[in-house]
């Protein structure tokens, strides 16, 4: 058993957790009923009044909230406090129609940073550590969340943000960074780069990594641990609920503890919406019970996972979730950025192409690649190499502006992409994750 950031809460008895959740859920339902017309209408339509929700056992009576609800209420119609009381927004990487804006009060940020601090202490972090935060800073929650957590623990925080690999490695060596926070694919890339520079794992000052925001396999964990000479831990979260730290891995490296004093987790059958017991695979649903500015009732994450209340060797009592095992929608996570095929299609149609395209995702040297093959229409077909290259560059720019990341574009001859008799196979994901 290691150290804890908030032992009393992290190791609370099942009874204490239930009591906390009961009280906070009832108060949260009243809070949204009083302050968010959208929720009041939704609850009224379901025939529910705040006094019907006395605690966690009544949770299943509440209607779900979906990403579509968030989009329909863009940007601030779900905010449950006066805007004057909000001090920050963060936002998802999806653009236009898909963008979600999450609002925070000062207290919301404080509690979010507690969650991230718990994750840092769980991997052995203390004020003696140097914590390099190589997640992106800005609208993405990764950088700001772990930065705040690192401050709370008292680590020397190195806010490198993502990218600029040489500088990352320089700081790791010069500042003797012990904890690295970034996406697992970037951690693997850093490891490869250091290996190429001739650095041996035992010469690298790092001892632990907190890696999340995208799927990664146990094989990838083993590789990263070997090349960097560290223990690699998972961390989960989503912008809608605050960001990283909704759940985090402990010393056991077997699943992530959900911070149950802030979030009630359920797993439901994605088709019927019926709650499923521990051990069964289904869609992960969260209710945020402490967030004041942007509370969510039974939010459908679209992530597929399994919950477990089995006793954990680390001494923490909060329920554990497996790594997300897939998604119920078609969202791809490419270099940490959420990409929907429909966004790519929107750009192609806007630029005068038809919906004959294929998206090929792969992982080369531990970095995700995104290639889009697009058919030219017969009307605009050309075999002039210069002209093709000009048009490809045009599409690369339009896609970058929509997605926020670079996609390689190849224009192909009319009718060269295989037509499907059933559902079109738009996405070929060759990553082994
Ligand atoms: O990715 C928040 C985050 C930042 C988590 C840093 C961990 C570390 P979004 O950009 O809103 O937020 O994307 C949320 O990413 O619904 C999952 O599908 C996926 N995801 C997040 N963490 C993991 C993980 C951040 N550890 C979406 N494993 C979620 C697999 C993850 N997928």
């Amino acid at each position: 058993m290691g150290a804890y950031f908030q032992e009393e809460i992290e190791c609370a008895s099942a009874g204490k957790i239930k009591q906390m959740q009961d009280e906070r859920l009832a108060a949260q339902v009243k809070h949204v009923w009083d302050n968010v017309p959208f929720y009041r209408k939704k609850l009224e339509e379901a025939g529910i009044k705040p006094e019907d929700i006395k605690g966690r056992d009544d949770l299943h009576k509440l209607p779900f909230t979906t990403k579509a609800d968030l989009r329909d209420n863009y940007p601030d119609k779900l905010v449950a406090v006066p805007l004057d009381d909000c001090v920050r927004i963060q936002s998802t990487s999806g653009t236009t129609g898909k963008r979600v804006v999450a609002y925070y009060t000062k207290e919301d940020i404080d509690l979010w940073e507690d969650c991230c601090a718990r994750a840092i202490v769980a991997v052995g972090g203390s004020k003696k550590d140097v914590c390099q935060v190589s997640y992106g800073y800005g609208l993405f929650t990764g950088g700001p969340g772990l930065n705040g957590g690192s401050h709370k623990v008292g680590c020397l925080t190195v806010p490198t943000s993502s990218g600029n690999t040489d500088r990352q490695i320089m700081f790791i060596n010069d500042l003797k960074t012990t904890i690295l926070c970034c996406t697992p694919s970037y951690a693997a890339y850093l490891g490869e780069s250091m290996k190429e520079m001739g650095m041996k794992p035992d010469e690298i000052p790092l001892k632990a990594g907190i890696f999340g925001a995208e799927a990664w396999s146990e094989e990838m964990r083993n590789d990263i641990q070997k090349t960097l000479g560290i223990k690699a831990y998972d961390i989960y979260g989503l912008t809608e609920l605050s960001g990283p730290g909704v759940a985090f891995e402990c010393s056991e490296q077997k699943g992530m503890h959900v911070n149950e004093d802030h979030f009630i987790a359920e797993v439901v059958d994605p088709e019927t919406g019926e709650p499923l017991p521990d051990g069964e695979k289904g869609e992960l649903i969260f209710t945020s019970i402490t967030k004041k500015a942007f509370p969510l009732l039974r939010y459908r994450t679209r992530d597929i996972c399994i919950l477990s209340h089995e006793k954990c060797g680390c001494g923490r009592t909060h329920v554990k979730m497996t790594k997300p095992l897939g998604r119920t929608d078609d969202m791809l996570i490419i270099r940490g950025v959420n990409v929907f095929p429909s966004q790519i299609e929107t750009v192609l149609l806007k630029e005068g192409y038809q919906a004959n395209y294929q998206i090929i995702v792969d992982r080369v040297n531990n970095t995700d690649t995104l290639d889009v093959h697009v058919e030219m229409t017969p009307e605009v077909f050309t075999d002039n190499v210069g002209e093709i290259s000009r048009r490809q560059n045009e599409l690369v720019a339009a896609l970058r502006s929509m997605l926020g990341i670079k996609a390689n574009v190849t224009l192909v001859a009319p009718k060269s992409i295989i037509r499907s008799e059933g559902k079109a196979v738009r996405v070929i994901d060759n990553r082994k994750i």
Side-chain angles (χ1 to χ4, degrees):
M1 301 209 187
Y4 310 99
F5 182 66
Q6 291 167 314
E7 179 168 359
E8 209 183 307
I9 299 169
E10 292 176 67
C11 302
S13 67
K16 176 88 182 88
I17 293 173
K18 172 147 191 328
Q19 188 198 345
M20 224 162 15
Q21 292 189 332
D22 286 348
E23 285 167 16
R24 291 177 177 185
L25 176 65
Q28 190 72 300
V29 172
K30 174 95 174 54
H31 177 55
V32 299
W33 172 276
D34 288 343
N35 295 298
V36 186
F38 163 85
Y39 276 121
R40 181 185 285 231
K41 184 160 172 272
K42 212 165 174 160
L43 292 173
E44 275 172 352
E45 279 167 9
I48 295 166
K49 293 212 173 56
E51 49 276 23
D52 299 334
I53 307 298
K54 299 201 166 48
R56 200 173 69 184
D57 295 339
D58 298 318
L59 187 64
H60 66 278
K61 298 179 186 162
L62 294 171
F64 292 116
T65 308
T66 64
K67 196 156 191 149
D69 292 328
L70 268 50
R71 272 205 303 273
D72 294 346
N73 288 285
Y74 174 92
D76 59 8
K77 289 211 276 295
L78 294 183
V79 175
V81 297
L83 281 179
D84 283 3
D85 293 340
C86 296
V87 296
R88 167 110 63 88
I89 64 121
Q90 302 285 159
S91 180
T92 55
S93 40
T95 45
T96 44
K98 304 281 185 192
R99 195 175 273 285
V100 168
V101 181
Y103 287 71
Y104 304 74
T105 63
K106 259 193 194 142
E107 196 196 5
D108 291 337
I109 290 185
D110 192 44
L111 300 180
W112 172 27
E113 291 177 351
D114 281 347
C115 292
C116 292
R118 289 179 195 173
I120 293 171
V121 174
V123 309
S126 74
K127 69 189 294 266
K128 294 195 168 51
D129 281 289
V130 178
C131 180
Q132 189 157 323
V133 183
S134 313
Y135 286 110
Y137 280 65
L139 290 171
F140 180 56
T141 53
L146 281 143
N147 192 92
S150 173
H151 276 197
K152 283 217 170 195
V153 176
C155 303
L156 175 65
T157 309
V158 187
T160 44
S161 194
S162 51
N164 202 336
T165 304
D166 288 346
R167 192 176 62 189
Q168 301 277 0
I169 296 173
M170 182 192 82
F171 277 136
I172 290 174
N173 284 322
D174 295 353
L175 304 180
K176 305 269 173 290
T177 301
T178 47
I179 300 175
L180 173 68
C181 307
C182 61
T183 57
S185 47
Y186 194 55
Y189 181 67
L190 277 173
E192 284 304 309
S193 308
M194 289 199 225
K195 198 170 165 184
E196 274 166 31
M197 292 162 84
M199 294 172 65
K200 303 213 168 56
D202 58 356
E203 293 164 3
I204 301 172
L206 295 173
K207 64 175 191 192
I210 302 180
F211 306 136
E214 64 183 7
W216 54 311
S217 59
E218 282 304 314
E219 291 72 33
M220 192 161 171
R221 187 202 307 257
N222 293 337
D223 278 356
I224 295 174
Q225 296 196 139
K226 236 177 29 222
T227 34
L228 288 174
I230 60 168
K231 287 258 181 215
Y233 300 89
D234 207 349
I235 184 164
Y236 170 87
L238 54 162
T239 313
E240 294 90 315
L241 290 173
S242 62
V246 171
F248 62 92
E249 223 170 34
C250 61
S251 50
E252 301 292 302
Q253 293 183 301
K254 273 208 182 92
M256 295 177 268
H257 291 281
V258 173
N259 281 309
E260 285 195 278
D261 50 330
H262 299 302
F263 308 103
I264 305 181
E266 303 169 82
V267 160
V268 304
D269 179 323
E271 301 297 325
T272 63
E274 281 306 307
L276 295 173
D278 268 19
E280 282 195 35
K281 192 156 91 172
E283 183 179 345
L284 188 56
I285 310 290
F286 282 110
T287 301
S288 48
I289 48 176
T290 49
K291 272 200 96 176
K292 284 283 176 280
F294 197 68
L296 290 176
L297 299 186
R298 300 194 87 202
Y299 183 65
R300 299 193 72 143
T301 63
R302 302 274 177 190
D303 290 317
I304 303 281
C305 88
I306 300 169
L307 292 180
S308 159
H309 281 88
E310 263 174 43
K311 196 167 184 286
C312 183
C314 77
R316 287 177 187 77
T317 46
H318 293 207
V319 65
K320 281 186 7 181
M321 57 175 272
T322 57
K323 282 174 178 301
L325 307 167
R327 297 212 21 114
T328 62
D329 63 9
D330 56 358
M331 185 178 92
L332 296 159
I333 303 182
I334 298 170
R335 302 195 284 274
V337 174
N338 305 346
V339 171
F340 289 88
S342 57
Q343 292 175 290
I344 295 180
E345 185 165 313
T346 303
V347 170
L348 300 181
L349 296 181
K350 224 158 80 193
E351 296 290 318
Y353 297 86
Q354 286 174 353
N356 295 316
Y357 62 92
Q358 211 150 43
I359 299 166
I360 300 140
V361 188
D362 211 334
R363 193 161 274 180
V364 180
N365 294 332
N366 293 311
T367 303
D368 294 333
T369 57
L370 171 61
D371 289 275
V372 186
H373 292 182
V374 188
E375 271 186 15
M376 287 181 271
T377 55
E379 299 77 51
V380 299
F381 176 69
T382 172
D383 52 9
N384 177 323
V385 179
E387 177 58 13
I388 290 182
S389 155
R390 191 191 63 76
R391 288 192 204 162
Q392 285 178 170
N393 290 339
E394 235 169 48
L395 277 181
V396 169
L399 284 170
R400 187 196 281 277
S401 137
M402 171 62 107
L403 307 173
I405 55 166
K406 177 161 187 236
N408 303 309
V409 174
T410 310
L411 284 178
V412 297
K415 300 256 165 2
S416 62
I417 289 178
I418 299 171
R419 302 292 189 266
S420 162
E421 288 177 1
K423 274 181 197 263
V425 182
R426 298 265 189 243
V427 180
I428 301 172
D429 195 339
N430 292 321
R431 294 175 294 185
K432 309 254 174 321
I433 44 179

